[in-house]
Amino acid sequence: MDLAHMAPYEVRKLIRDKKITGQTSGMCLGFAQANLAILPKELAYDFLLFTQRNPKPCPILEVSDVGDPYLKKIAKDCNIATDIPKYRIYEKGVLTGEYNSVERFWRDDLVAFLIGCSFSFESELLDSGITVRHIEEHKNVPMYLTNIDCEPAGVFSGKMVVSMRPLPRDQIVKAVNITSSMPRVHGTPIQIGHPEQIGIKDINKPDFGDAVTVKPGETPVFWACGVTPQSIMMNSKPDFCITHAPGHMLITDIKNTDLKF
Amino acid sequence: MDLAHMAPYEVRKLIRDKKITGQTSGMCLGFAQANLAILPKELAYDFLLFTQRNPKPCPILEVSDVGDPYLKKIAKDCNIATDIPKYRIYEKGVLTGEYNSVERFWRDDLVAFLIGCSFSFESELLDSGITVRHIEEHKNVPMYLTNIDCEPAGVFSGKMVVSMRPLPRDQIVKAVNITSSMPRVHGTPIQIGHPEQIGIKDINKPDFGDAVTVKPGETPVFWACGVTPQSIMMNSKPDFCITHAPGHMLITDIKNTDLKF
């Protein structure tokens, strides 16, 4: 199966039927993938406000209606409780299980938040001739917990997670320009070249994902990352929360190019 | 008093002391002004989701903490119940009163939503040599109720309100470019040159504000408008809602230029 060139609804069906249970990286090229956080309605206001106050790590692509697992905007005929290959359940901030479907955990008071993912801007960077090192090295993107406090909202607070891509000097401005036109998938970098200023001690030891080669003369460039909500859940410890497992994303019907201004 | 060149906190003090009770147009040049909607917490999630689903008419600049009338981000030492020159109270969609302060109506369950205003981009248009007709003619901007359904959210639904500025052919692209960099104050136009396509029957009869001259060869250009929330309140009829009176805005400490990317 040529998953890279299949239509999103076809791959979502394979995922729903549990024929795909692994990472979604590289599937349905050109289409946006989304991070997931599902919370009970009583916490949904605080979390929606959190995303509003922190649009760079948490750019919202869609919020489901309360109790309705079907999305209406970014993916057609999509049940958010079945159409992601691997989910995580956190209870009071502790990861209590991983599942290929969360249909049996669905409740009438749940709300799903779909959040933009840097896969979308990476595809634009590649198209512009910019090397994306972790793709080149067949690794997961390196991610770091920073010392940057997100703006708190209600019960939710915590530090921002960033992703890093090393770039040669003459590609940095181009990368800033390209990502500036895509605020719904994290937008412009939040730090260029000074990891210590955002609390990153060793660039070779990411907190999530894999370390990648930083070649002589290259500058590490940091973008706000969609893993931030998981760090927030671990810090804020809501009673119940469902997320995707890292790398196991929702494949949407939205083209990356439609996320540009 | 030179209100045009005073600092925002000085003018807010005059407003708080009821020394200013009129429209804020032209005050504190260069600083953003904001639209207001105040709702009880039980409706705040639906309204926040409404703004998230309708970012062009309802770009959020700040949401207050529940029950706290003091803003934290866009204006310093600012009590949102006293620092606007004229408020309106709507009950079940009906305007029941106008007040110079709503302090005595404040409750522990109220949440204030501050929404970007086109005054901010008009200042950028003027700086770029683009004529803004209603300013030239000393009128209020013409606004129209359209046939465009906003994306509903919970109890909130209704039609979008737009503002109109007539432009000569050779200034339209420039105006699109300038406003595209300011999504937090309504961003790009939603219609250029075809009022009938968005349900506007007579451009000389705006639903709000004043009619302005459209000269031969000029094209009417329409932007989403911050009066939309008032049209939504009138349509959705929440039990209780406070807004600003049209033209009587919150003067923030945010520079218009800081609302650009």
Side-chain angles (χ1 to χ4, degrees), chain A:
Chain A
M1 281 187 298
D2 181 11
L3 296 170
H5 298 96
M6 279 172 72
Y9 76 89
E10 294 175 308
V11 176
R12 286 199 302 271
K13 174 133 184 26
L14 293 170
I15 290 169
R16 193 178 316 143
D17 295 341
K18 317 251 192 307
K19 288 172 185 152
I20 295 173
T21 55
Q23 299 212 19
T24 52
S25 166
M27 295 180 190
C28 304
L29 291 177
F31 289 91
Q33 300 197 13
N35 301 282
L36 173 70
I38 297 176
L39 285 163
K41 171 66 165 68
E42 63 168 354
L43 295 175
Y45 176 74
D46 283 359
F47 189 69
L48 184 58
L49 187 56
F50 183 87
T51 67
Q52 197 281 325
R53 288 182 178 169
N54 298 280
K56 292 198 87 164
C58 305
I60 291 284
L61 297 180
E62 179 164 356
V63 180
S64 74
D65 286 329
V66 180
D68 185 355
Y70 285 88
L71 301 183
K72 292 186 174 155
K73 207 164 153 187
I74 62 172
K76 220 186 148 200
D77 295 324
C78 169
N79 181 337
I80 196 58
T82 59
D83 288 7
I84 278 183
K86 197 186 287 176
Y87 297 84
R88 286 182 164 182
I89 292 188
Y90 289 87
E91 292 173 274
K92 298 190 194 298
V94 178
L95 173 63
T96 53
E98 287 197 333
Y99 306 89
N100 298 124
S101 160
V102 289
E103 229 179 350
R104 68 197 162 103
F105 301 103
W106 192 260
R107 308 182 334 207
D108 282 350
D109 68 338
L110 294 183
V111 182
F113 297 84
L114 284 308
I115 294 168
C117 163
S118 56
F119 286 4
S120 294
F121 73 66
E122 287 177 352
S123 129
E124 293 298 302
L125 295 177
L126 290 170
D127 283 353
S128 303
I130 294 176
T131 304
V132 179
R133 182 62 36 74
H134 64 274
I135 294 179
E136 194 180 47
E137 296 185 343
H138 302 289
K139 290 176 172 171
N140 195 352
V141 65
M143 292 166 274
Y144 307 84
L145 198 58
T146 69
N147 62 6
I148 303 169
D149 284 312
C150 290
E151 292 249 14
V155 301
F156 293 107
S157 63
K159 307 288 186 187
M160 191 187 296
V161 175
V162 296
S163 61
M164 187 277 286
R165 291 155 194 84
L167 294 177
R169 182 188 44 74
D170 61 354
Q171 293 191 334
I172 295 175
V173 169
K174 207 203 247 185
V176 170
N177 269 332
I178 290 168
T179 54
S180 77
S181 71
M182 303 181 80
R184 297 181 73 197
V185 285
H186 306 305
T188 48
I190 60 145
Q191 226 299 325
I192 298 174
H194 294 279
E196 70 285 357
Q197 285 188 2
I198 54 175
I200 298 172
K201 294 207 179 75
D202 186 348
I203 207 154
N204 295 311
K205 292 185 180 161
D207 297 294
F208 311 91
D210 304 316
V212 298
T213 311
V214 181
K215 296 183 183 170
E218 288 185 339
T219 300
V221 182
F222 300 90
W223 278 267
C225 176
V227 168
T228 302
Q230 298 201 29
S231 125
I232 298 305
M233 296 307 163
M234 288 157 77
N235 184 63
S236 305
K237 303 182 175 42
D239 285 348
F240 181 79
C241 173
I242 302 172
T243 71
H244 66 292
H248 301 67
M249 318 293 282
L250 177 71
I251 300 171
T252 78
D253 297 335
I254 307 287
K255 289 194 170 168
N256 290 326
T257 49
D258 285 338
L259 293 172
K260 284 181 150 179
F261 278 115

Side-chain angles (χ1 to χ4, degrees), chain A residues 41-42 44-46 48-49 52-53 60-66 73 111 113 151-154 180 183 261, chain B residues 41-42 44-46 48-49 52-53 60-66 73 111 113 151-154 180 183-184 261:
Chain A
K41 171 66 165 68
E42 63 168 354
Y45 176 74
D46 283 359
L48 184 58
L49 187 56
Q52 197 281 325
R53 288 182 178 169
I60 291 284
L61 297 180
E62 179 164 356
V63 180
S64 74
D65 286 329
V66 180
K73 207 164 153 187
V111 182
F113 297 84
E151 292 249 14
S180 77
F261 278 115
Chain B
K41 171 68 165 67
E42 61 169 353
Y45 176 74
D46 283 359
L48 184 57
L49 186 57
Q52 197 281 323
R53 289 182 177 168
I60 291 283
L61 297 180
E62 179 164 355
V63 181
S64 74
D65 286 328
V66 179
K73 207 165 154 187
V111 181
F113 298 85
E151 292 249 14
S180 77
R184 296 181 73 196
F261 278 116

